[in-house]
Amino acid sequence: MDRGSNRTVLLALLSVLLISGCQGGNILGVFTSLSPSHLIIHMSMAKVLAENGHNVTVITALKPVVNHKDITVVQVPMSEEDHKHMSATIAQFASQDNSNMVITMFRSMGQMKFMMDKMRDIMKDQRVKDLYENKDNKFDLVMLGYFLNTYQLGIAHKLKAPVVVAASMPPNEIFNTVVGNPSVASFVPAMNMAVERGQIMTFVQRVQNFLTNIAMKVFFAILENYNANSYKEVYGDDPTMPPFEEICKNVSLAFFSSHALSEGPIRPNVPAVIEVGGIQIKDKPNPLPKQLAEFLSNADNSAILLSLGSNVKSSHLKSDTNNKIFHVLSKLKQRIIWKWEDLDNTPGKSDNILYSKWLPQDDILAHPNITLFITHAGKGGITEAQYHGKPMLALPIFGDQPSNALRMVKDGFGLSLSLLTLEEQPFKESLTELLENPQYTHKVKTFSALYRDRPMSARESVLYWSEYVMRHHGAPHLQSPLMQMNFIASNNLDVFALLVTVLIVFIYISKFVLTVVIKKLKGKPKNTDKLKKH
Ligand SMILES: *[C@@H]1O[C@H](CO)[C@@H](O)[C@H](O)[C@H]1NC(C)=O
Ligand SMILES: *[C@@H]1O[C@H](CO)[C@@H](O)[C@H](O)[C@H]1NC(C)=O
Ligand SMILES: *[C@@H]1O[C@H](CO)[C@@H](O)[C@H](O)[C@H]1NC(C)=O
């Protein structure tokens, strides 16, 4: 190679570097949710951006499980005392009946406020303030992990950067407001309404749905009021900050962890709703740790994964319940991987059971020898099992889990039992049904094919739309008109009022004219008589 071509190569390399350097944006992820499963979703989005050459900084409370070497994590950890409080609350939830979503929602208000207080403290931390007080920092995009923290949108205003929202749930009454997505109670069932595919709600269900939507709106309004106070507390000292209501109207678009095309419900979404359900699932699973890989490759009669998620520890359950689960599982011919934290203190030893503290759930579910997933029915776990086409036995605990389980059963992907009242016999029968009747696997595999069939993968969507917002410095042109309308206008109540008034006036006038005409026709002589007498 001569010097000329050497130089060309160098120049080419340099321009590639320069171009990628220009394209790489500075992105701030604000992921303060105290729920590990939310953080997995949020970090999976940040990871896609980091993998594609963006400089990503994230603020978290928890230590992220999903991470990337180029992501700068600013962790503002909770105190030991707060961790204890959270754990105690979860244990309490695990011991009560949470099957009614609306009642559970209001009962969890105290816990919500506790979490909101902790999230607010993070925003007041100097490490977070430094990000906007240091004038050298320049961010092209803020991604806000959205869960009852609307006031945190204030940081995007501080940084003069456009903002997108990352929600770990499907669009619903609570999340719709962030991008002005319409709420349609007549045919879009709320989370807790399991309506079979292709069926419409009955009259009773519509009444129930309508009331649930109102309850969710009230719940949300109470927490938004709380958020308004947090906004004052965090940003109140800065007179240049716009009012809270204005801050709420500046979201460019929202990523939701759902895929309505396959999962339903069929509903209208505004263009600012970008569905990226399954974002946490790897296109190709990572190799399993040696111990797990060996355990599964020698599973002559297939294997089961049991995990009750990241919030609930096995110690939160009654030891009696754990023993019943152990008795049944230890007698199966299948091998079982059981997520269990305290390895010195297990419900019992059995050759077919492997306890493990931490599990790469997505990679395990991808393994061909796993034929059943026993789950607490968190949205993340259900999504992964659906993606990998594995039937489920749900043992829901709280939050959206009972509703997720209900839907999963309606979809025919498995069965659900109450963890609170779990007995050996029904547990064993459910397992036998799921392991021996192929219909569940068939249904969930059919769904899996539908779920994966998309014009753009979840990762591609996150990358494309995040870069879109950066390219255009925000997306006000995508904004739903509902963001600027009040309750009366958005429900056309003023139009109805006008029409009803016109109708009433018309009826009145018609009646008046009619009486006059009738009187004229029938009683003209009588009337004139009367008049003459006076
Ligand atoms: C990446 O972001 C951090 C802020 O967390 C900043 O300090 C750093 O300079 C940025 N790197 C580049 C190459 O822009
Ligand atoms: C809304 O976002 C744009 C950037 O997309 C910014 O210029 C504007 O100041 C923001 N408005 C408010 C009220 O935050
Ligand atoms: C699944 O189990 C069978 C039977 O033990 C084994 O032959 C096979 O290699 C296993 N598959 C994988 C991918 O480990």
Side-chain angles (χ1 to χ4, degrees):
M1 240 196 261
D2 60 50
R3 278 178 69 177
S5 69
N6 253 342
R7 215 168 47 212
T8 328
V9 171
L10 254 177
L11 273 177
L13 265 178
L14 204 69
S15 57
V16 167
L17 277 177
L18 277 176
I19 289 170
S20 57
C22 292
Q23 282 178 337
N26 268 324
I27 300 172
L28 178 66
V30 183
F31 305 149
T32 56
S33 172
L34 303 182
S35 162
S37 58
H38 292 179
L39 188 58
I40 288 177
I41 300 283
H42 300 152
M43 285 302 290
S44 301
M45 296 189 195
K47 192 174 173 181
V48 176
L49 300 170
E51 280 170 352
N52 286 280
H54 297 289
N55 181 23
V56 184
T57 306
V58 302
I59 304 169
T60 69
L62 310 172
K63 188 174 175 343
V65 187
V66 176
N67 210 336
H68 183 271
K69 62 177 174 35
D70 294 339
I71 298 180
T72 311
V73 178
V74 180
Q75 192 194 353
V76 185
M78 271 197 303
S79 67
E80 204 43 51
E81 206 179 310
D82 292 339
H83 273 295
K84 284 211 186 96
H85 176 94
M86 287 279 287
S87 182
T89 316
I90 289 166
Q92 191 205 328
F93 272 109
S95 67
Q96 72 196 15
D97 177 12
N98 300 304
S99 52
N100 186 314
M101 186 187 81
V102 174
I103 292 176
T104 309
M105 195 167 70
F106 282 96
R107 203 157 46 182
S108 68
M109 188 75 86
Q111 171 67 357
M112 293 287 174
K113 287 187 174 165
F114 169 81
M115 296 203 286
M116 289 164 83
D117 287 347
K118 294 298 138 196
M119 292 180 3
R120 185 193 55 216
D121 293 346
I122 296 172
M123 299 315 276
K124 283 160 70 182
D125 191 277
Q126 194 53 42
R127 281 165 283 185
V128 173
K129 288 186 166 177
D130 275 346
L131 291 167
Y132 52 83
E133 283 171 359
N134 177 356
K135 295 291 169 236
D136 288 341
N137 279 344
K138 189 166 168 5
F139 287 99
D140 306 299
L141 182 71
V142 171
M143 182 183 270
L144 181 71
Y146 190 63
F147 189 64
L148 311 173
N149 53 346
T150 324
Y151 67 93
Q152 293 183 352
L153 290 167
I155 197 168
H157 183 84
K158 283 272 191 194
L159 292 165
K160 301 274 170 283
V163 59
V164 297
V165 146
S168 54
M169 284 177 203
N172 64 31
E173 284 318 292
I174 288 179
F175 294 93
N176 277 340
T177 50
V178 75
V179 283
N181 207 36
S183 105
V184 208
S186 63
F187 68 92
V188 181
M191 285 200 288
N192 62 337
M193 300 279 301
V195 180
E196 228 152 301
R197 231 154 267 219
Q199 301 238 317
I200 56 172
M201 285 184 274
T202 62
F203 175 70
V204 174
Q205 282 176 319
R206 275 189 290 124
V207 172
Q208 220 178 325
N209 200 46
F210 187 76
L211 296 177
T212 303
N213 279 5
I214 291 180
M216 285 176 82
K217 282 202 172 103
V218 169
F219 178 74
F220 182 66
I222 295 172
L223 294 181
E224 272 310 74
N225 189 38
Y226 205 69
N227 273 327
N229 290 331
S230 297
Y231 183 72
K232 269 191 218 121
E233 201 172 325
V234 182
Y235 304 108
D237 56 349
D238 179 353
T240 66
M241 289 295 279
F244 178 59
E245 303 75 49
E246 288 308 307
I247 283 285
C248 300
K249 291 179 186 162
N250 215 16
V251 173
S252 291
L253 49 83
F255 295 112
F256 286 93
S257 278
S258 54
H259 184 243
L261 264 63
S262 58
E263 297 173 309
I266 296 305
R267 57 156 303 143
N269 281 328
V270 293
V273 168
I274 311 292
E275 293 195 283
V276 295
I279 181 72
Q280 77 278 27
I281 302 170
K282 296 177 211 74
D283 297 333
K284 201 170 153 275
N286 287 341
L288 290 176
K290 197 155 163 272
Q291 190 193 19
L292 288 175
E294 272 177 22
F295 189 73
L296 286 178
S297 69
N298 294 321
D300 291 332
N301 292 297
S302 81
I304 299 171
L305 172 63
L306 190 175
S307 167
L308 298 182
S310 43
N311 278 317
V312 176
K313 311 260 178 296
S314 7
S315 56
H316 288 143
L317 306 183
K318 285 182 289 184
S319 65
D320 189 34
T321 306
N322 285 324
N323 289 338
K324 285 175 189 159
I325 295 178
F326 174 79
H327 277 148
V328 174
L329 294 182
S330 59
K331 289 189 199 106
L332 293 180
K333 58 183 198 283
Q334 282 78 11
R335 289 194 155 187
I336 290 102
I337 298 177
W338 189 338
K339 179 171 176 285
W340 188 273
E341 290 78 25
D342 184 2
L343 296 179
D344 299 328
N345 209 350
T346 62
K349 291 212 182 329
S350 172
D351 282 344
N352 71 332
I353 298 180
L354 175 74
Y355 296 99
S356 179
K357 245 185 178 146
W358 177 82
L359 293 171
Q361 183 167 287
D362 174 32
D363 301 327
I364 297 176
L365 286 171
H367 196 284
N369 284 355
I370 291 282
T371 50
L372 181 65
F373 180 32
I374 305 177
T375 171
H376 68 304
K379 178 85 175 121
I382 290 207
T383 303
E384 285 158 27
Q386 288 178 344
Y387 181 90
H388 295 297
K390 303 295 160 94
M392 287 162 264
L393 175 61
L395 304 174
I397 302 165
F398 61 92
D400 59 341
Q401 299 158 10
S403 327
N404 294 341
L406 204 63
R407 290 215 48 177
M408 183 277 287
V409 172
K410 280 272 180 190
D411 285 336
F413 305 156
L415 301 170
S416 177
L417 290 174
S418 157
L419 193 60
L420 272 187
T421 56
L422 192 78
E423 290 303 333
E424 285 187 32
Q425 196 53 28
F427 182 52
K428 188 166 171 288
E429 280 163 13
S430 303
L431 288 175
T432 313
E433 164 72 4
L434 288 164
L435 291 165
E436 286 175 7
N437 187 340
Q439 79 170 43
Y440 303 97
T441 309
H442 175 73
K443 283 220 169 115
V444 73
K445 278 207 189 313
T446 309
F447 172 83
S448 169
L450 210 55
Y451 190 66
R452 294 171 185 224
D453 197 344
R454 312 180 187 191
M456 247 200 259
S457 74
R459 287 155 177 276
E460 285 164 348
S461 298
V462 166
L463 183 63
Y464 177 84
W465 288 105
S466 300
E467 290 182 344
Y468 176 94
V469 171
M470 286 194 277
R471 268 199 299 279
H472 302 287
H473 309 289
H477 55 281
L478 284 187
Q479 191 180 58
S480 162
L482 277 183
M483 292 307 285
Q484 308 291 344
M485 293 164 81
N486 61 24
F487 178 80
I488 293 179
S490 58
N491 289 290
N492 263 347
L493 295 184
D494 43 359
V495 176
F496 288 124
L498 175 73
L499 294 187
V500 170
T501 315
V502 168
L503 195 68
I504 291 173
V505 170
F506 177 75
I507 291 172
Y508 245 88
I509 294 175
S510 310
K511 210 173 141 192
F512 178 74
V513 171
L514 220 64
T515 5
V516 171
V517 171
I518 290 172
K519 273 180 187 164
K520 277 206 168 163
L521 286 179
K522 274 188 172 177
K524 207 175 182 177
K526 241 186 196 172
N527 270 348
T528 38
D529 277 1
K530 261 185 199 165
L531 273 174
K532 272 180 185 167
K533 270 178 194 169
H534 275 284

